[in-house]
Amino acid sequence: MTERPLRADARGNQERLLSVAAVAFARDGTQTSLKAVAKEAGVGVGTLYRHFPTREALVEAVYEHEVTVLCDAAAELLRALGPADALRGWMERFVDFMAAKHGMADLLRPVLLSEADRLHTRARLRAAIATLLDAGAAAGVIRPGVDANDVLMALGGVTMIAGEEGQRALATRLIDLLLHGVRAPGLTS
Amino acid sequence: MTERPLRADARGNQERLLSVAAVAFARDGTQTSLKAVAKEAGVGVGTLYRHFPTREALVEAVYEHEVTVLCDAAAELLRALGPADALRGWMERFVDFMAAKHGMADLLRPVLLSEADRLHTRARLRAAIATLLDAGAAAGVIRPGVDANDVLMALGGVTMIAGEEGQRALATRLIDLLLHGVRAPGLTS
DNA sequence: GTGGTAAACGGACGCGGGTCCGGTTATGCT
DNA sequence: AGCATAACCGGACCCGCGTCCGTTTACCAC
Protein backbone atom coordinates (compact mmCIF):
# COMPACT_ATOMS: atom_id res chain seq x y z
CA MET A 1 0.00 0.00 0.00
CA THR A 2 2.99 2.37 0.51
CA GLU A 3 5.37 1.19 -2.18
CA ARG A 4 5.90 4.77 -3.37
CA PRO A 5 5.40 7.83 -1.25
CA LEU A 6 2.12 9.46 -2.06
CA ARG A 7 1.89 13.13 -2.74
CA ALA A 8 0.54 15.14 0.14
CA ASP A 9 -2.85 15.68 -1.49
CA ALA A 10 -3.20 11.99 -2.31
CA ARG A 11 -2.23 10.93 1.20
CA GLY A 12 -4.80 13.26 2.72
CA ASN A 13 -7.49 12.01 0.33
CA GLN A 14 -6.69 8.41 1.16
CA GLU A 15 -6.84 9.00 4.89
CA ARG A 16 -10.12 10.86 4.59
CA LEU A 17 -11.57 8.03 2.49
CA LEU A 18 -10.55 5.48 5.10
CA SER A 19 -12.08 7.36 7.99
CA VAL A 20 -15.32 8.21 6.14
CA ALA A 21 -15.61 4.61 4.97
CA ALA A 22 -15.08 3.26 8.48
CA VAL A 23 -18.03 5.32 9.73
CA ALA A 24 -20.18 4.45 6.71
CA PHE A 25 -19.47 0.72 6.99
CA ALA A 26 -20.25 0.73 10.69
CA ARG A 27 -23.51 2.58 10.06
CA ASP A 28 -24.75 0.96 6.84
CA GLY A 29 -22.65 -2.16 6.31
CA THR A 30 -19.92 -2.85 3.81
CA GLN A 31 -22.35 -2.66 0.87
CA THR A 32 -22.90 1.05 1.39
CA SER A 33 -22.74 3.23 -1.69
CA LEU A 34 -19.15 4.02 -2.62
CA LYS A 35 -20.36 7.06 -4.49
CA ALA A 36 -21.71 8.39 -1.22
CA VAL A 37 -18.45 7.57 0.57
CA ALA A 38 -16.48 9.49 -2.06
CA LYS A 39 -18.85 12.42 -1.85
CA GLU A 40 -18.69 12.57 1.92
CA ALA A 41 -14.90 12.41 1.79
CA GLY A 42 -14.92 15.34 -0.62
CA VAL A 43 -13.29 13.43 -3.48
CA GLY A 44 -14.45 12.20 -6.87
CA VAL A 45 -15.45 8.59 -7.27
CA GLY A 46 -12.53 8.08 -9.67
CA THR A 47 -10.23 9.06 -6.83
CA LEU A 48 -11.78 6.47 -4.57
CA TYR A 49 -11.23 3.74 -7.16
CA ARG A 50 -7.70 4.89 -7.80
CA HIS A 51 -6.79 4.45 -4.16
CA PHE A 52 -8.89 1.34 -3.60
CA PRO A 53 -9.46 -0.50 -6.86
CA THR A 54 -12.25 -2.65 -5.48
CA ARG A 55 -14.73 -2.49 -2.65
CA GLU A 56 -12.94 -5.33 -0.89
CA ALA A 57 -9.66 -3.46 -1.06
CA LEU A 58 -11.28 -0.56 0.78
CA VAL A 59 -12.89 -2.84 3.34
CA GLU A 60 -9.64 -4.71 3.89
CA ALA A 61 -7.79 -1.46 4.47
CA VAL A 62 -10.45 -0.11 6.83
CA TYR A 63 -10.35 -3.22 8.99
CA GLU A 64 -6.61 -3.87 8.84
CA HIS A 65 -6.05 -3.06 12.47
CA GLU A 66 -8.90 -5.22 13.70
CA VAL A 67 -7.57 -8.15 11.67
CA THR A 68 -4.25 -7.67 13.42
CA VAL A 69 -5.99 -7.83 16.80
CA LEU A 70 -7.74 -11.02 15.71
CA CYS A 71 -4.50 -12.61 14.57
CA ASP A 72 -2.77 -11.69 17.83
CA ALA A 73 -5.57 -13.37 19.73
CA ALA A 74 -4.31 -16.81 18.67
CA ALA A 75 -1.24 -16.67 20.90
CA GLU A 76 -3.27 -15.16 23.74
CA LEU A 77 -5.85 -17.91 23.58
CA LEU A 78 -3.11 -20.55 23.62
CA ARG A 79 -1.79 -19.09 26.88
CA ALA A 80 -5.20 -19.29 28.48
CA LEU A 81 -6.64 -22.52 27.03
CA GLY A 82 -5.67 -25.92 25.71
CA PRO A 83 -4.99 -26.00 21.97
CA ALA A 84 -8.31 -27.48 20.89
CA ASP A 85 -10.30 -24.94 22.90
CA ALA A 86 -8.02 -22.17 21.71
CA LEU A 87 -8.64 -23.15 18.08
CA ARG A 88 -12.39 -23.24 18.67
CA GLY A 89 -12.30 -19.92 20.48
CA TRP A 90 -10.29 -18.34 17.70
CA MET A 91 -12.63 -19.61 15.01
CA GLU A 92 -15.61 -18.25 16.91
CA ARG A 93 -13.89 -14.89 17.19
CA PHE A 94 -13.27 -14.93 13.45
CA VAL A 95 -16.91 -15.60 12.64
CA ASP A 96 -18.10 -13.08 15.24
CA PHE A 97 -15.79 -10.43 13.78
CA MET A 98 -17.24 -11.04 10.34
CA ALA A 99 -20.82 -11.06 11.58
CA ALA A 100 -20.32 -7.77 13.39
CA LYS A 101 -19.31 -6.06 10.13
CA HIS A 102 -22.51 -6.16 8.16
CA GLY A 103 -22.02 -7.64 4.73
CA MET A 104 -18.47 -8.70 5.40
CA ALA A 105 -19.09 -12.33 4.45
CA ASP A 106 -19.82 -11.30 0.87
CA LEU A 107 -16.35 -9.83 0.51
CA LEU A 108 -14.43 -12.68 2.01
CA ARG A 109 -13.86 -14.68 -1.14
CA PRO A 110 -11.85 -12.06 -3.03
CA VAL A 111 -9.89 -11.18 0.10
CA LEU A 112 -8.94 -14.79 0.86
CA LEU A 113 -8.26 -15.76 -2.73
CA SER A 114 -6.53 -12.67 -4.12
CA GLU A 115 -3.18 -13.31 -5.72
CA ALA A 116 -1.70 -10.09 -4.46
CA ASP A 117 -2.65 -10.20 -0.73
CA ARG A 118 -1.42 -6.62 -0.61
CA LEU A 119 -2.05 -6.12 3.11
CA HIS A 120 -1.07 -9.69 3.95
CA THR A 121 -4.49 -10.31 5.44
CA ARG A 122 -4.64 -13.89 4.23
CA ALA A 123 -1.03 -14.59 5.19
CA ARG A 124 -1.56 -13.28 8.69
CA LEU A 125 -4.79 -15.20 9.23
CA ARG A 126 -3.11 -18.34 7.96
CA ALA A 127 -0.19 -17.85 10.31
CA ALA A 128 -2.56 -17.51 13.26
CA ILE A 129 -4.27 -20.75 12.32
CA ALA A 130 -0.92 -22.47 11.80
CA THR A 131 0.10 -21.45 15.32
CA LEU A 132 -3.03 -23.06 16.71
CA LEU A 133 -2.75 -26.20 14.56
CA ASP A 134 0.90 -26.68 15.46
CA ALA A 135 0.15 -26.45 19.17
CA GLY A 136 -2.71 -28.90 18.74
CA ALA A 137 -0.57 -31.37 16.81
CA ALA A 138 2.18 -31.12 19.41
CA ALA A 139 -0.39 -31.88 22.10
CA GLY A 140 -1.75 -34.81 20.11
CA VAL A 141 -5.26 -33.41 19.73
CA ILE A 142 -5.01 -32.21 16.11
CA ARG A 143 -4.02 -34.37 13.17
CA PRO A 144 -0.45 -33.56 12.14
CA GLY A 145 -0.07 -32.18 8.64
CA VAL A 146 -3.38 -30.37 8.42
CA ASP A 147 -2.81 -27.46 6.06
CA ALA A 148 -3.48 -24.08 7.69
CA ASN A 149 -4.53 -22.58 4.38
CA ASP A 150 -7.14 -25.32 3.94
CA VAL A 151 -8.50 -24.60 7.40
CA LEU A 152 -8.60 -20.88 6.63
CA MET A 153 -10.53 -21.57 3.44
CA ALA A 154 -12.90 -23.92 5.23
CA LEU A 155 -13.48 -21.30 7.91
CA GLY A 156 -14.01 -18.73 5.15
CA GLY A 157 -16.65 -21.01 3.66
CA VAL A 158 -18.35 -21.38 7.03
CA THR A 159 -18.38 -17.62 7.36
CA MET A 160 -19.74 -17.10 3.88
CA ILE A 161 -22.69 -19.35 4.53
CA ALA A 162 -23.26 -18.67 8.23
CA GLY A 163 -21.53 -15.40 9.01
CA GLU A 164 -24.49 -13.09 9.36
CA GLU A 165 -26.10 -11.93 12.58
CA GLY A 166 -28.74 -14.38 13.68
CA GLN A 167 -26.80 -17.36 12.36
CA ARG A 168 -24.59 -17.94 15.37
CA ALA A 169 -26.04 -21.37 16.21
CA LEU A 170 -25.44 -22.62 12.67
CA ALA A 171 -21.94 -21.17 12.64
CA THR A 172 -21.14 -22.93 15.90
CA ARG A 173 -22.29 -26.27 14.55
CA LEU A 174 -20.29 -25.83 11.34
CA ILE A 175 -17.22 -24.95 13.40
CA ASP A 176 -17.87 -28.17 15.34
CA LEU A 177 -17.86 -30.10 12.07
CA LEU A 178 -14.63 -28.44 11.03
CA LEU A 179 -13.02 -29.19 14.39
CA HIS A 180 -14.03 -32.82 14.04
CA GLY A 181 -12.39 -32.72 10.65
CA VAL A 182 -9.01 -31.68 12.02
CA ARG A 183 -9.13 -33.77 15.16
CA ALA A 184 -6.59 -36.48 15.78
CA PRO A 185 -7.94 -39.96 15.13
CA GLY A 186 -9.06 -42.01 18.08
CA LEU A 187 -10.34 -39.06 20.07
CA THR A 188 -13.94 -38.97 21.20
CA SER A 189 -15.88 -36.03 22.53
CA MET B 1 -44.25 -22.07 -8.83
CA THR B 2 -47.68 -23.09 -10.22
CA GLU B 3 -49.89 -22.30 -7.28
CA ARG B 4 -52.36 -20.52 -9.57
CA PRO B 5 -52.75 -21.18 -13.26
CA LEU B 6 -51.00 -18.52 -15.28
CA ARG B 7 -52.72 -16.83 -18.14
CA ALA B 8 -51.64 -18.13 -21.52
CA ASP B 9 -49.56 -15.04 -22.30
CA ALA B 10 -47.84 -15.17 -18.94
CA ARG B 11 -47.06 -18.87 -19.26
CA GLY B 12 -45.58 -18.31 -22.69
CA ASN B 13 -43.48 -15.41 -21.40
CA GLN B 14 -42.20 -17.46 -18.50
CA GLU B 15 -41.23 -20.38 -20.69
CA ARG B 16 -39.46 -18.10 -23.12
CA LEU B 17 -37.57 -16.42 -20.26
CA LEU B 18 -36.44 -19.79 -18.95
CA SER B 19 -35.16 -20.99 -22.28
CA VAL B 20 -33.42 -17.71 -23.17
CA ALA B 21 -31.87 -17.56 -19.69
CA ALA B 22 -30.61 -21.14 -19.95
CA VAL B 23 -28.73 -20.27 -23.13
CA ALA B 24 -27.44 -16.97 -21.74
CA PHE B 25 -26.22 -18.56 -18.50
CA ALA B 26 -24.46 -21.32 -20.37
CA ARG B 27 -22.78 -18.78 -22.66
CA ASP B 28 -21.99 -15.94 -20.26
CA GLY B 29 -22.47 -17.30 -16.76
CA THR B 30 -25.16 -16.66 -14.22
CA GLN B 31 -24.14 -13.00 -13.83
CA THR B 32 -25.23 -12.17 -17.35
CA SER B 33 -27.34 -9.05 -17.80
CA LEU B 34 -30.97 -9.71 -16.95
CA LYS B 35 -31.95 -6.75 -19.07
CA ALA B 36 -30.45 -8.50 -22.05
CA VAL B 37 -32.24 -11.74 -21.13
CA ALA B 38 -35.57 -9.90 -20.99
CA LYS B 39 -34.90 -8.18 -24.29
CA GLU B 40 -33.95 -11.40 -26.02
CA ALA B 41 -37.06 -13.08 -24.67
CA GLY B 42 -39.15 -10.25 -26.10
CA VAL B 43 -40.49 -9.11 -22.73
CA GLY B 44 -40.01 -6.05 -20.55
CA VAL B 45 -37.63 -6.20 -17.61
CA GLY B 46 -40.57 -5.72 -15.23
CA THR B 47 -42.04 -8.91 -16.61
CA LEU B 48 -38.86 -10.80 -15.91
CA TYR B 49 -38.88 -9.62 -12.27
CA ARG B 50 -42.52 -10.42 -11.89
CA HIS B 51 -41.94 -14.03 -12.84
CA PHE B 52 -38.56 -14.37 -11.13
CA PRO B 53 -38.24 -11.83 -8.30
CA THR B 54 -34.48 -12.31 -7.96
CA ARG B 55 -31.62 -13.49 -10.09
CA GLU B 56 -31.26 -16.59 -7.93
CA ALA B 57 -34.92 -17.44 -8.42
CA LEU B 58 -34.35 -17.45 -12.18
CA VAL B 59 -31.17 -19.50 -11.88
CA GLU B 60 -32.84 -21.96 -9.54
CA ALA B 61 -35.71 -22.42 -11.97
CA VAL B 62 -33.41 -22.83 -14.96
CA TYR B 63 -31.40 -25.53 -13.26
CA GLU B 64 -34.25 -27.27 -11.49
CA HIS B 65 -34.00 -30.39 -13.60
CA GLU B 66 -30.25 -30.71 -13.17
CA VAL B 67 -30.65 -30.40 -9.40
CA THR B 68 -33.11 -33.27 -9.58
CA VAL B 69 -30.56 -35.37 -11.45
CA LEU B 70 -27.96 -34.52 -8.82
CA CYS B 71 -30.31 -35.48 -5.97
CA ASP B 72 -31.18 -38.75 -7.67
CA ALA B 73 -27.49 -39.55 -7.93
CA ALA B 74 -27.30 -40.16 -4.18
CA ALA B 75 -29.25 -43.42 -4.35
CA GLU B 76 -27.39 -44.46 -7.50
CA LEU B 77 -24.01 -43.90 -5.88
CA LEU B 78 -25.09 -45.92 -2.85
CA ARG B 79 -25.90 -48.87 -5.12
CA ALA B 80 -22.45 -48.71 -6.68
CA LEU B 81 -20.20 -47.74 -3.76
CA GLY B 82 -19.85 -48.00 0.00
CA PRO B 83 -21.52 -45.20 1.92
CA ALA B 84 -18.37 -43.17 2.64
CA ASP B 85 -17.28 -43.25 -0.99
CA ALA B 86 -20.81 -42.53 -2.13
CA LEU B 87 -20.95 -39.45 0.12
CA ARG B 88 -17.59 -38.25 -1.20
CA GLY B 89 -18.63 -38.89 -4.77
CA TRP B 90 -21.88 -37.05 -4.29
CA MET B 91 -20.14 -34.05 -2.74
CA GLU B 92 -17.71 -33.92 -5.63
CA ARG B 93 -20.59 -34.01 -8.08
CA PHE B 94 -22.24 -31.14 -6.20
CA VAL B 95 -19.14 -28.97 -6.39
CA ASP B 96 -18.51 -29.93 -10.03
CA PHE B 97 -22.08 -29.01 -10.93
CA MET B 98 -21.64 -25.60 -9.33
CA ALA B 99 -18.25 -25.04 -10.96
CA ALA B 100 -19.64 -25.89 -14.37
CA LYS B 101 -22.26 -23.14 -14.09
CA HIS B 102 -20.15 -20.01 -14.13
CA GLY B 103 -20.91 -17.76 -11.20
CA MET B 104 -23.20 -20.27 -9.52
CA ALA B 105 -21.32 -20.18 -6.23
CA ASP B 106 -22.25 -16.53 -5.74
CA LEU B 107 -25.94 -17.43 -5.78
CA LEU B 108 -25.77 -20.34 -3.41
CA ARG B 109 -26.27 -18.50 -0.17
CA PRO B 110 -29.73 -17.09 -0.96
CA VAL B 111 -30.82 -20.40 -2.45
CA LEU B 112 -29.73 -22.46 0.55
CA LEU B 113 -30.93 -19.99 3.15
CA SER B 114 -34.21 -18.78 1.68
CA GLU B 115 -37.19 -19.13 3.94
CA ALA B 116 -39.53 -20.02 1.13
CA ASP B 117 -37.55 -22.77 -0.69
CA ARG B 118 -40.20 -22.44 -3.40
CA LEU B 119 -38.76 -25.15 -5.68
CA HIS B 120 -37.69 -27.28 -2.70
CA THR B 121 -34.10 -27.14 -3.88
CA ARG B 122 -32.72 -27.03 -0.37
CA ALA B 123 -35.12 -29.69 0.89
CA ARG B 124 -34.21 -32.05 -1.92
CA LEU B 125 -30.47 -31.56 -1.52
CA ARG B 126 -30.82 -32.11 2.21
CA ALA B 127 -32.79 -35.29 1.64
CA ALA B 128 -30.07 -36.60 -0.67
CA ILE B 129 -27.44 -35.93 1.98
CA ALA B 130 -29.61 -37.51 4.66
CA THR B 131 -29.86 -40.66 2.56
CA LEU B 132 -26.10 -40.83 2.35
CA LEU B 133 -25.55 -40.01 6.02
CA ASP B 134 -28.11 -42.60 7.15
CA ALA B 135 -26.46 -45.29 5.07
CA GLY B 136 -23.08 -44.32 6.48
CA ALA B 137 -24.34 -44.35 10.05
CA ALA B 138 -25.94 -47.75 9.55
CA ALA B 139 -22.63 -49.06 8.21
CA GLY B 140 -20.75 -47.57 11.16
CA VAL B 141 -18.58 -45.23 9.08
CA ILE B 142 -20.44 -41.97 9.73
CA ARG B 143 -21.17 -40.54 13.16
CA PRO B 144 -24.83 -41.08 14.01
CA GLY B 145 -26.84 -37.91 14.51
CA VAL B 146 -24.96 -35.70 12.06
CA ASP B 147 -27.48 -33.15 10.83
CA ALA B 148 -27.97 -33.30 7.06
CA ASN B 149 -28.77 -29.60 6.95
CA ASP B 150 -25.47 -28.78 8.63
CA VAL B 151 -23.62 -30.90 6.10
CA LEU B 152 -25.47 -29.17 3.27
CA MET B 153 -24.51 -25.78 4.67
CA ALA B 154 -20.91 -26.86 5.14
CA LEU B 155 -20.81 -28.14 1.57
CA GLY B 156 -22.38 -24.85 0.46
CA GLY B 157 -19.58 -23.02 2.24
CA VAL B 158 -16.97 -25.18 0.54
CA THR B 159 -18.57 -24.40 -2.79
CA MET B 160 -18.73 -20.70 -2.10
CA ILE B 161 -15.02 -20.51 -1.37
CA ALA B 162 -13.75 -23.17 -3.76
CA GLY B 163 -16.45 -23.74 -6.34
CA GLU B 164 -14.92 -22.04 -9.36
CA GLU B 165 -13.14 -23.72 -12.23
CA GLY B 166 -9.49 -24.12 -11.46
CA GLN B 167 -10.13 -24.70 -7.75
CA ARG B 168 -10.82 -28.42 -7.90
CA ALA B 169 -7.79 -29.41 -5.83
CA LEU B 170 -8.77 -27.03 -3.03
CA ALA B 171 -12.37 -28.20 -3.18
CA THR B 172 -11.26 -31.81 -2.89
CA ARG B 173 -9.17 -31.06 0.18
CA LEU B 174 -12.01 -29.16 1.82
CA ILE B 175 -14.36 -32.05 1.10
CA ASP B 176 -11.77 -34.30 2.76
CA LEU B 177 -11.88 -32.07 5.84
CA LEU B 178 -15.65 -32.22 5.88
CA LEU B 179 -15.66 -35.99 5.51
CA HIS B 180 -13.24 -36.25 8.41
CA GLY B 181 -15.70 -34.12 10.33
CA VAL B 182 -18.58 -36.52 9.88
CA ARG B 183 -16.57 -39.71 10.21
CA ALA B 184 -17.26 -42.16 12.99
CA PRO B 185 -14.71 -41.95 15.83
CA GLY B 186 -11.95 -44.48 15.90
CA LEU B 187 -11.65 -44.79 12.15
CA THR B 188 -8.34 -44.06 10.48
CA SER B 189 -7.63 -43.55 6.82
C1' DG C 1 -71.25 -12.31 -28.06
C1' DT C 2 -70.34 -8.45 -24.73
C1' DG C 3 -68.51 -6.08 -20.83
C1' DG C 4 -65.83 -5.75 -16.67
C1' DT C 5 -61.72 -6.31 -14.40
C1' DA C 6 -57.88 -8.67 -12.38
C1' DA C 7 -53.79 -10.25 -14.23
C1' DA C 8 -50.06 -9.04 -16.68
C1' DC C 9 -47.63 -6.00 -19.53
C1' DG C 10 -43.46 -2.67 -21.16
C1' DG C 11 -40.26 0.56 -20.37
C1' DA C 12 -39.14 5.07 -18.11
C1' DC C 13 -36.99 6.17 -14.09
C1' DG C 14 -33.64 6.84 -10.07
C1' DC C 15 -29.77 4.85 -8.38
C1' DG C 16 -25.06 3.27 -7.88
C1' DG C 17 -21.08 0.66 -10.00
C1' DG C 18 -17.07 1.32 -12.49
C1' DT C 19 -14.51 3.79 -16.41
C1' DC C 20 -12.06 7.38 -18.55
C1' DC C 21 -10.62 11.91 -20.14
C1' DG C 22 -9.70 16.78 -19.91
C1' DG C 23 -8.11 19.67 -16.15
C1' DT C 24 -5.28 20.59 -11.84
C1' DT C 25 -1.47 20.28 -8.67
C1' DA C 26 2.58 18.79 -6.23
C1' DT C 27 7.21 17.72 -6.97
C1' DG C 28 11.84 17.75 -8.75
C1' DC C 29 15.18 19.96 -11.48
C1' DT C 30 17.56 23.94 -13.18
C1' DA D 1 11.99 31.40 -8.21
C1' DG D 2 10.28 29.34 -12.55
C1' DC D 3 9.21 25.60 -15.49
C1' DA D 4 8.00 20.96 -16.99
C1' DT D 5 5.52 17.10 -16.23
C1' DA D 6 4.09 12.95 -13.91
C1' DA D 7 0.92 12.12 -10.50
C1' DC D 8 -3.49 12.86 -9.37
C1' DC D 9 -7.93 14.91 -9.68
C1' DG D 10 -13.42 15.30 -10.36
C1' DG D 11 -17.34 14.11 -12.44
C1' DA D 12 -19.64 13.03 -16.92
C1' DC D 13 -20.66 8.98 -18.92
C1' DC D 14 -22.43 4.22 -20.02
C1' DC D 15 -24.34 0.42 -18.07
C1' DG D 16 -27.47 -2.67 -15.59
C1' DC D 17 -30.34 -3.31 -11.36
C1' DG D 18 -34.70 -3.15 -9.46
C1' DT D 19 -39.09 -0.35 -9.04
C1' DC D 20 -43.43 1.35 -10.36
C1' DC D 21 -47.23 3.23 -13.05
C1' DG D 22 -50.14 3.92 -17.04
C1' DT D 23 -51.59 0.62 -20.65
C1' DT D 24 -52.98 -3.81 -22.57
C1' DT D 25 -54.95 -8.34 -22.55
C1' DA D 26 -56.85 -12.70 -21.20
C1' DC D 27 -60.43 -14.65 -18.76
C1' DC D 28 -64.86 -15.18 -16.68
C1' DA D 29 -69.69 -14.20 -15.86
C1' DC D 30 -73.80 -12.93 -17.85
Side-chain angles (χ1 to χ4, degrees):
Chain A
M1 210 84 233
T2 53
E3 54 195 0
R4 176 192 185 87
L6 288 177
R7 279 173 21 183
D9 54 345
R11 194 165 56 245
N13 285 340
Q14 191 178 91
E15 285 166 7
R16 212 157 43 250
L17 279 167
L18 284 169
S19 70
V20 167
V23 173
F25 291 156
R27 186 184 61 224
D28 301 324
T30 59
Q31 295 302 322
T32 195
S33 157
L34 294 188
K35 280 203 169 190
V37 168
K39 183 168 185 174
E40 198 177 331
V43 303
V45 72
T47 300
L48 185 148
Y49 280 99
R50 222 168 348 261
H51 284 271
F52 304 103
T54 61
R55 182 182 291 272
E56 22 312 335
L58 178 59
V59 170
E60 190 180 352
V62 164
Y63 293 126
E64 186 181 7
H65 175 66
E66 295 194 48
V67 169
T68 298
V69 172
L70 176 62
C71 293
D72 292 346
E76 290 163 24
L77 286 167
L78 276 174
R79 287 193 281 273
L81 303 169
D85 289 336
L87 179 59
R88 176 192 297 277
W90 192 85
M91 283 180 176
E92 284 175 348
R93 282 195 190 192
F94 180 96
V95 175
D96 287 347
F97 168 64
M98 297 295 167
K101 316 299 180 192
H102 306 299
M104 192 70 172
D106 292 338
L107 304 178
L108 212 42
R109 195 172 188 285
V111 171
L112 292 183
L113 293 177
S114 94
E115 290 276 330
D117 198 26
R118 298 288 302 276
L119 299 188
H120 310 297
T121 300
R122 185 181 68 225
R124 290 186 290 144
L125 290 171
R126 186 169 59 207
I129 292 174
T131 299
L132 293 158
L133 291 179
D134 290 346
V141 296
I142 303 288
R143 282 191 286 125
V146 173
D147 187 312
N149 193 66
D150 287 352
V151 174
L152 176 58
M153 294 300 151
L155 186 59
V158 166
T159 306
M160 288 165 81
I161 195 90
E164 298 284 347
E165 298 199 37
Q167 293 189 290
R168 180 57 195 268
L170 176 60
T172 299
R173 294 201 302 277
L174 296 191
I175 288 171
D176 275 349
L177 264 189
L178 179 51
L179 289 172
H180 270 97
V182 299
R183 195 164 53 171
L187 289 183
T188 56
S189 299
Chain B
M1 207 81 232
T2 52
E3 55 193 0
R4 177 190 183 84
L6 287 177
R7 278 175 22 184
D9 56 342
R11 195 166 54 245
N13 285 340
Q14 192 180 93
E15 286 166 4
R16 209 157 46 249
L17 280 166
L18 284 169
S19 70
V20 167
V23 173
F25 292 156
R27 184 185 62 224
D28 301 324
T30 58
Q31 295 302 321
T32 194
S33 156
L34 294 188
K35 280 207 166 191
V37 168
K39 183 167 183 171
E40 199 176 328
V43 304
V45 74
T47 300
L48 184 148
Y49 280 98
R50 221 167 351 262
H51 285 273
F52 304 103
T54 61
R55 182 183 288 274
E56 14 325 329
L58 178 58
V59 170
E60 190 180 349
V62 164
Y63 293 128
E64 186 181 5
H65 175 65
E66 295 194 48
V67 170
T68 298
V69 171
L70 175 63
C71 292
D72 293 345
E76 290 164 22
L77 285 167
L78 276 175
R79 288 193 282 271
L81 303 170
D85 289 336
L87 180 58
R88 176 192 300 276
W90 191 84
M91 283 179 177
E92 283 174 350
R93 282 197 191 190
F94 181 95
V95 175
D96 287 348
F97 168 64
M98 297 297 167
K101 317 299 182 193
H102 306 298
M104 193 72 173
D106 291 338
L107 304 178
L108 213 41
R109 193 172 190 287
V111 171
L112 293 183
L113 293 178
S114 94
E115 290 276 329
D117 198 25
R118 298 286 304 273
L119 299 187
H120 310 296
T121 299
R122 184 181 67 227
R124 290 187 288 141
L125 290 171
R126 186 170 57 210
I129 292 175
T131 298
L132 294 158
L133 291 179
D134 290 346
V141 295
I142 302 287
R143 281 190 287 122
V146 174
D147 187 312
N149 193 66
D150 288 350
V151 173
L152 176 58
M153 295 301 151
L155 186 58
V158 166
T159 305
M160 288 165 81
I161 194 88
E164 298 283 348
E165 298 198 37
Q167 292 188 292
R168 179 59 194 271
L170 176 60
T172 298
R173 294 200 302 278
L174 297 190
I175 288 172
D176 275 348
L177 263 190
L178 180 51
L179 290 172
H180 270 97
V182 299
R183 196 164 53 170
L187 290 182
T188 56
S189 300

